[in-house]
């Protein structure tokens, strides 16, 4: 961990003022002027990391955003799960073409769900879509038995693998498959295979039960940002867990800009990590489905642009009280993480503009 953190350290003085001005100019559009939230940025550029912080982690207590503030990662959790999946594929422990019913025994192998593969879940091509996957958002969810019954009753309008539909439910099912394959809860899998090897000590997935891992630790809770709606209303408590799926492990991950900078640098291939993890990250970035002329789906990640140096590999996450983005241009040694504690901030748009502008600058031209 010490060596990784040393590699990430930005210079103590003389940080690039032009880079900071570029970041600030674009991020300003999503920093709430009413104080209801803020933004933390980690920028990876030419082998070093720069951090920038804006606004409030908690407006009521006037607690500012810092590099170590904990944010709800929302759907950025998905890229951690597909890294686990890709590592398992590389180790020969499962296959992308394996039916999910091979691992989740309660599923009906003769039903439509029985034809869905792990790779289809990871690339949003299973066709599975539940009411909790899209607006208008319902006010009800599932216990595990209810979820299994719903999946077994599900009727696909097209054969699995024939369409691209973004689905949270598919990732809940992927989580179950990984847990069943290894006999280990998802929070422990992520911790053992990703967080500990990378030294990401501030990143956590509370299990939502009565165990020691069930809630944020007191220290983590003190560092967690208060979440705000897009109208600046506080929603939930700092570090709160909300989910339509009511069993352990189905809530949200929390992390800091400092920790996510490690994950970003690892995905850029700039850290000395174990070979199977490095290969897993590379596999997770590979195109698997064409969404549109300039957009392709990988394992949770999306890839924007053609085979150009400015191609962006990215993931966006948004909830009613959190917004998050990670994006990178591997061929330019450039990447960014933007974490916000307010809903509907859309940091993906801001992140892309920052990456493209920095890539076009003279210092980053290939």
């Amino acid at each position: 961990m010490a060596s990784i953190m040393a590699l990430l350290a930005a210079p103590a003085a003389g940080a690039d003022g032009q880079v900071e001005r570029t970041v600030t100019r674009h991020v300003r559009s999503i920093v709430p002027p009413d104080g209801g939230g803020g933004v933390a940025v980690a920028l990876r550029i030419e082998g070093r990391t720069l951090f920038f912080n804006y606004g409030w982690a908690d407006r009521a207590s006037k607690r500012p955003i810092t590099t170590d503030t904990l944010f709800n990662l929302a759907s950025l959790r998905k890229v951690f799960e597909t890294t686990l999946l890709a590592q398992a594929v590389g180790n020969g422990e499962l296959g992308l073409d394996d039916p999910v019913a091979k691992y989740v025994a309660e599923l009906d192998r003769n039903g439509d769900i029985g034809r869905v593969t792990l790779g289809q879940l990871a690339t949003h091509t299973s066709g599975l879509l539940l009411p909790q996957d899209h607006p208008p958002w319902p006010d009800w969810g599932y216990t595990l038995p209810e979820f299994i019954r719903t999946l077994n009753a599900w009727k696909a309008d097209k054969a699995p693998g024939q369409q691209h539909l973004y689905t949270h439910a598919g990732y809940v099912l992927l989580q179950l498959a990984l847990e069943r394959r290894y006999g280990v809860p998802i929070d422990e899998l992520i911790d053992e295979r990703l967080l500990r090897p990378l030294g990401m000590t501030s990143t956590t997935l509370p299990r939502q039960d009565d165990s020691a891992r069930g809630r944020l630790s007191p220290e983590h809770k003190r560092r967690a940002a208060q979440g705000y709606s897009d109208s600046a209303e506080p929603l939930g408590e700092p570090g709160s867990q909300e989910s339509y799926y009511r069993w352990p492990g189905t809530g949200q991950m929390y992390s800091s800009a400092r920790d996510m900078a490690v994950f970003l640098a690892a995905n850029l291939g700039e850290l000395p990590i174990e070979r199977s993890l490095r290969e897993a990250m590379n596999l997770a970035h590979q195109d698997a489905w064409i969404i549109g002329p300039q957009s392709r789906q990988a394992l949770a990640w999306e890839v924007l642009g053609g085979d150009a140096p400015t191609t962006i590999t990215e993931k966006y996450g948004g909830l009613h009280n959190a917004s998050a983005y990670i994006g990178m241009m591997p061929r330019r040694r450039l990447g960014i993480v933007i974490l916000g504690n307010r809903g509907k901030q859309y940091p993906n748009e801001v992140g892309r503009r920052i990456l493209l502008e920095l890539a076009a600058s003279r210092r980053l031209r290939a």
Side-chain angles (χ1 to χ4, degrees):
M1 175 183 167
S3 61
I4 286 179
M5 296 310 291
L7 286 168
L8 287 172
D16 192 323
Q18 181 59 48
V19 170
E20 181 173 7
R21 287 190 290 273
T22 297
V23 171
T24 300
R25 175 162 40 83
H26 289 290
V27 169
R28 187 180 296 119
S29 67
I30 58 171
V31 176
D34 54 26
V39 173
V41 177
L43 180 72
R44 187 73 177 165
I45 182 169
E46 295 183 320
R48 60 195 176 106
T49 302
L50 303 176
F51 297 102
F52 310 100
N53 302 298
Y54 312 86
W56 298 111
D58 190 327
R59 179 177 55 188
S61 65
K62 295 295 187 284
R63 177 162 58 96
I65 297 289
T66 74
T67 300
D68 296 304
T69 298
L70 297 185
F71 292 85
N72 190 327
L73 293 183
S75 282
L76 265 58
R77 168 181 169 165
K78 290 180 173 66
V79 296
F80 288 86
E81 290 168 326
T82 54
T83 303
L84 290 180
L85 175 65
Q87 188 179 51
V89 170
N91 292 341
E93 296 165 346
L94 48 73
L96 292 177
D97 292 331
D98 289 350
V100 65
K102 178 179 178 180
Y103 304 102
V104 183
E106 306 97 307
L107 294 178
D108 181 3
R109 295 194 177 205
N110 296 316
D112 285 356
I113 196 65
R115 296 184 291 159
V116 171
T117 68
L118 298 178
Q120 289 165 356
L121 294 175
T123 57
H124 300 290
T125 56
S126 66
L128 179 64
L129 199 68
L130 299 186
Q132 291 76 14
D133 286 327
H134 54 81
W137 305 108
D139 58 2
W140 53 275
Y142 305 93
T143 63
L144 179 54
E146 290 168 343
F147 185 57
I148 295 296
R149 286 197 296 271
T150 299
L151 296 177
N152 284 337
W154 170 67
K155 300 298 181 184
D157 60 353
K158 292 184 179 180
Q162 297 299 308
Q163 59 183 325
H164 182 271
L165 295 172
Y166 191 93
T167 167
H168 303 291
Y171 269 77
V172 175
L173 183 52
L174 178 61
Q175 168 200 320
L176 277 175
L178 290 168
E179 290 180 320
R180 298 293 178 78
R181 169 61 181 83
Y182 294 106
V184 176
I186 191 65
D187 60 294
E188 294 183 28
L189 278 174
I190 291 174
D191 189 47
E192 293 169 5
R193 296 189 171 215
L194 296 179
L195 304 184
R196 275 191 273 172
L198 292 173
M200 296 175 64
T201 57
S202 292
T203 305
T204 180
L205 172 55
R207 191 178 293 171
Q208 288 184 277
D209 61 13
D210 295 328
S211 71
R213 303 174 67 101
R215 300 289 183 270
L216 285 182
S217 71
E219 186 236 341
H220 281 163
K221 191 167 184 179
R222 283 193 297 271
R223 290 164 51 195
Q226 170 65 54
Y228 295 90
S229 72
D230 60 333
S231 59
E233 294 299 320
L235 292 178
E237 296 180 351
S240 63
Q241 287 283 303
E242 300 175 21
S243 175
Y244 286 116
Y245 302 95
R246 294 164 185 161
W247 67 89
T250 56
Q252 287 98 43
M253 289 181 69
Y254 281 79
S255 189
S256 66
R258 191 183 306 278
D259 258 23
M260 288 301 293
V262 177
F263 188 70
L264 175 63
N267 274 274
L268 283 167
E270 296 183 336
L271 295 183
I273 59 177
E274 194 267 329
R275 178 179 176 180
S276 73
L277 182 52
R278 182 178 68 253
E279 292 177 348
M281 290 178 172
N282 291 337
L283 175 59
H285 301 161
Q286 292 181 15
D287 302 349
W289 181 272
I290 297 175
I291 301 173
Q294 294 294 314
S295 179
R296 303 181 301 283
Q297 180 71 61
L299 300 183
W301 298 92
E302 291 185 14
V303 183
L304 303 183
D307 186 29
T310 54
T311 294
I312 298 174
T313 302
E314 65 174 19
K315 184 71 185 82
Y316 163 74
L319 293 170
H320 61 307
N321 62 352
S323 302
Y325 176 75
I326 181 170
M328 55 192 171
M329 292 179 176
R331 291 172 62 179
R332 295 298 183 104
R333 301 178 64 204
L334 180 64
I336 195 167
V337 172
I338 304 176
L339 303 177
N341 58 330
R342 183 160 172 159
K344 298 183 180 179
Q345 286 179 294
Y346 305 113
N348 50 325
E349 299 171 2
V350 171
R352 290 170 197 156
R353 291 198 295 268
I354 292 172
L355 292 176
L356 289 168
E357 183 168 331
L358 291 176
S361 66
R362 290 183 61 184
R363 64 181 299 138
L364 290 177
R365 281 184 185 153

